[in-house]
Amino acid sequence: MARKFRVLASVLALSVSLSALAACSSKGGDASSSPSGTASPSAGASEAKDTITALLPPVSANYQNNFEQMAKDFNALYPNLTLKIEPASWEDMTQKLDTQVNAGSPPDIAFIGSDGISKYVQQGMLMDITDVATPDMINDFDKAPLEYMKKGDGLYGFPAYMEIHALGGNKQFLEEAGIDWKNVQKNGWTYEEFREAIKKGVVKEGDKTKRYGFVFANAGVTSKDYLNILIKNAGMPSAFTQDLKYAYTSKNYLEVLKAVRQLIDDGSMPKELSSVDAGKRWNMFLTGQTMITGKGLATFENSANKNNEKLKANDGSAVEGSIPVEYIVLPVPSFLGQPPVSSPAVDGYVTFRGKKEPTPEHKANVVKAAYFLASGKVAATTNNELFVAHITKSGREAAKSMTVNRNPDNVAAVEVLLSHAAPARPDIPVELGAKAIKLEDEVIIPKFQALLANEITPEDMYAAVKNAAIKEFGQDGVVQD
């Protein structure tokens, strides 16, 4: 989605632009591998040469700088195979991929969000690797993120990471407000507890608010992130229930909308919240204008640390007006006695096919390459740079020899959040998912913007969403509680 690292990493994207690479297929070996990510290339491998193409954005700050080494390491593992990587910026990634897909010659592998899988499945351009991925490969991955790479009965690649959309706090401000953040990291908090906590974080100078308790980016479509992470903690982990009824007609949805207005009306959040974009939100956090920020991502700890180093060195490139900040990972509050459910984003290496059916040998070679990128040293290096948790056994093993300057309390907090991440829903039919996205784009986002701007009431928005949902899914296709 705005995938989390795009804004931070896009400035580092390579300016090199290679021509689009058509998938090249020839006879190759089988897909035998091992969870170490260092499979023996002689294990049933053929000597037939083959090329695997990959379209990859700047997943982390130094990710694209490592392309040459990644290609060399893959070739050393499989001497008959060549991994040819085409770099893309986050800004042009989708356009490049769609251009190649529409031409019928997509890359063998593309790094995209798992939420984009259904789009390319509909177009018939993804390659189901269920029958080729070996048990060693499958068993290397944590189960939850791997499920996000599925649609129906098909597996369409391997996940790179599971990132949790959490909140982030300024340790000094949290402690000044008397908030036991370590307890919150371990045990979570209710909406009522959160509401009172952020009130304590507000600092005023006369009638002017010098520091808010909580700021979340809500400009344009970013508002859907805010609403989506809240409603997951109010008994609606997905847009559809297990029996495929549209969930956002539940009375709990209205209660969350009321809470959104309360936090602004309390003065804990800016009245101009609908105009705060992601950049401004982060700037407000680094300059001490808010105690808690959201959407908080693991990589933000790294960004805060780097800005702290610049301040300490009196480096002029530090954010103007910024202060030293110790970043603390915090969970989203839960509502109405419902269990906490973390909002995950899973991106990864999705496997594509062209108009022609790939040969079994080429298909096996593509799987080898996708697994190589998603596991072992490559995964460990990238995920450490992003400060995200490792989701493969081989990645965790490779990471043991790598140094990362990360707050151990935050590491533990993310593990807690991962333990109750919203499960993948490959069972939701593509058609239903498309209708839900349409309703979100045409009704939910504009109405939510109006709610934030105090132009409509929570009740108005709830009625609009419910009426639109009934029209789209029918009376029997929505939750009526």
Side-chain angles (χ1 to χ4, degrees):
M1 24 198 92
R3 301 258 52 112
K4 42 239 146 253
F5 314 115
R6 296 178 188 181
V7 173
L8 297 173
S10 62
V11 294
L12 297 164
L14 298 181
S15 59
V16 178
S17 176
L18 305 180
S19 59
L21 299 165
C24 171
S25 63
S26 62
K27 292 184 179 180
D30 66 18
S32 60
S33 186
S34 76
S36 68
T38 56
S40 169
S42 63
S46 163
E47 292 304 312
K49 293 189 179 299
D50 196 5
T51 297
I52 301 96
T53 61
L55 180 66
L56 307 178
V59 179
S60 67
N62 291 300
Y63 180 74
Q64 291 187 329
N65 296 335
N66 297 330
F67 282 175
E68 185 177 349
Q69 188 61 50
M70 287 156 61
K72 284 181 180 178
D73 290 347
F74 181 73
N75 184 248
L77 191 61
Y78 302 106
N80 61 310
L81 303 182
T82 299
L83 178 60
K84 193 173 282 189
I85 302 173
E86 178 184 0
S89 69
W90 281 120
E91 288 76 14
D92 66 7
M93 177 71 193
T94 300
Q95 183 179 359
K96 273 192 174 185
L97 180 58
D98 285 346
T99 297
Q100 295 179 37
V101 166
N102 293 336
S105 57
D108 294 310
I109 299 165
F111 188 96
I112 63 172
S114 59
D115 55 351
I117 287 176
S118 59
K119 167 185 172 181
Y120 296 108
V121 168
Q122 272 189 311
Q123 295 177 346
M125 297 302 283
L126 289 195
M127 187 169 74
D128 182 0
I129 62 172
T130 306
D131 59 335
V132 184
T134 68
D136 278 345
M137 292 176 181
I138 296 297
N139 293 333
D140 193 23
F141 290 89
D142 293 349
K143 185 177 180 181
L146 189 64
E147 289 296 305
Y148 275 85
M149 307 305 286
K150 297 178 180 179
K151 199 67 186 173
D153 296 326
L155 174 65
Y156 297 100
F158 296 121
Y161 49 69
M162 176 181 273
E163 165 71 306
I164 296 296
H165 293 171
L167 305 180
N170 178 312
K171 179 183 175 183
Q172 177 187 338
F173 295 165
L174 291 169
E175 293 178 349
E176 287 175 357
I179 298 167
D180 185 352
W181 57 268
K182 287 192 177 184
N183 180 61
V184 172
Q185 283 186 330
K186 292 177 183 176
N187 302 308
W189 43 9
T190 64
Y191 166 68
E192 291 74 20
E193 291 168 337
F194 177 75
R195 183 185 179 191
E196 292 308 309
I198 62 174
K199 283 181 183 178
K200 295 174 184 175
V202 176
V203 175
K204 289 202 158 198
E205 286 183 348
D207 294 334
K208 185 179 179 183
T209 302
K210 180 182 177 183
R211 182 194 309 152
Y212 290 96
F214 181 38
V215 171
F216 201 105
N218 274 286
V221 295
T222 60
S223 59
K224 73 179 180 180
D225 291 334
Y226 184 33
L227 186 54
N228 284 342
I229 71 171
L230 295 179
I231 57 181
K232 278 183 171 55
N233 288 272
M236 294 165 281
S238 170
F240 294 93
T241 62
Q242 292 298 322
D243 56 356
L244 299 179
K245 290 185 183 293
Y246 187 71
Y248 301 158
T249 52
S250 165
K251 64 181 186 297
N252 285 9
Y253 192 84
L254 173 58
E255 295 307 309
V256 172
L257 298 180
K258 289 179 181 177
V260 166
R261 263 313 323 164
Q262 277 183 329
L263 300 182
I264 299 172
D265 295 338
D266 284 347
S268 299
M269 300 186 80
K271 289 181 181 179
E272 308 80 14
L273 192 62
S274 61
S275 65
V276 176
D277 62 19
K280 184 175 181 181
R281 168 275 319 263
W282 185 237
N283 182 278
M284 290 180 72
F285 184 74
L286 289 183
T287 55
Q289 296 178 67
T290 184
M291 178 177 70
I292 297 175
T293 191
K295 168 177 64 177
L297 306 167
T299 191
F300 287 5
E301 181 186 341
N302 196 17
S303 298
N305 290 346
K306 288 180 177 178
N307 196 68
N308 292 341
E309 291 169 6
K310 291 177 180 179
L311 288 171
K312 191 173 180 179
N314 202 23
D315 185 331
S317 64
V319 172
E320 185 177 355
S322 59
I323 59 175
V325 173
E326 189 166 349
Y327 185 89
I328 298 297
V329 174
L330 295 169
V332 175
S334 55
F335 295 78
L336 306 163
Q338 295 295 321
V341 177
S342 303
S343 178
V346 181
D347 299 348
Y349 300 92
V350 175
T351 47
F352 285 75
R353 50 162 292 171
K355 291 179 180 177
K356 295 181 180 179
E357 183 70 25
T359 66
E361 294 83 5
H362 182 66
K363 188 174 180 180
N365 292 336
V366 171
V367 171
K368 289 176 184 177
Y371 176 68
F372 168 80
L373 292 168
S375 64
K377 177 184 173 183
V378 176
T381 302
T382 305
N383 290 4
N384 272 356
E385 191 168 23
L386 295 172
F387 277 34
V388 297
H390 302 290
I391 60 169
T392 60
K393 297 183 184 73
S394 60
R396 292 186 189 98
E397 187 62 31
K400 287 180 180 178
S401 62
M402 301 177 183
T403 302
V404 59
N405 178 29
R406 201 172 169 197
N407 184 330
D409 289 316
N410 286 344
V411 175
V414 170
E415 290 297 333
V416 172
L417 295 173
L418 285 168
S419 72
H420 47 66
R425 291 294 305 276
D427 61 300
I428 297 173
V430 171
E431 305 77 37
L432 278 186
K435 286 184 177 182
I437 291 172
K438 179 172 177 281
L439 198 154
E440 181 178 63
D441 290 342
E442 296 181 0
V443 181
I444 292 177
I445 292 173
K447 291 296 182 183
F448 192 61
Q449 285 288 313
L451 175 64
L452 293 173
N454 208 21
E455 295 168 356
I456 62 171
T457 67
E459 289 79 9
D460 291 335
M461 176 173 170
Y462 177 66
V465 173
K466 189 169 185 177
N467 291 337
I470 290 172
K471 184 178 179 181
E472 197 69 64
F473 303 106
Q475 288 279 357
D476 295 332
V478 304
V479 170
Q480 303 269 15
D481 58 3

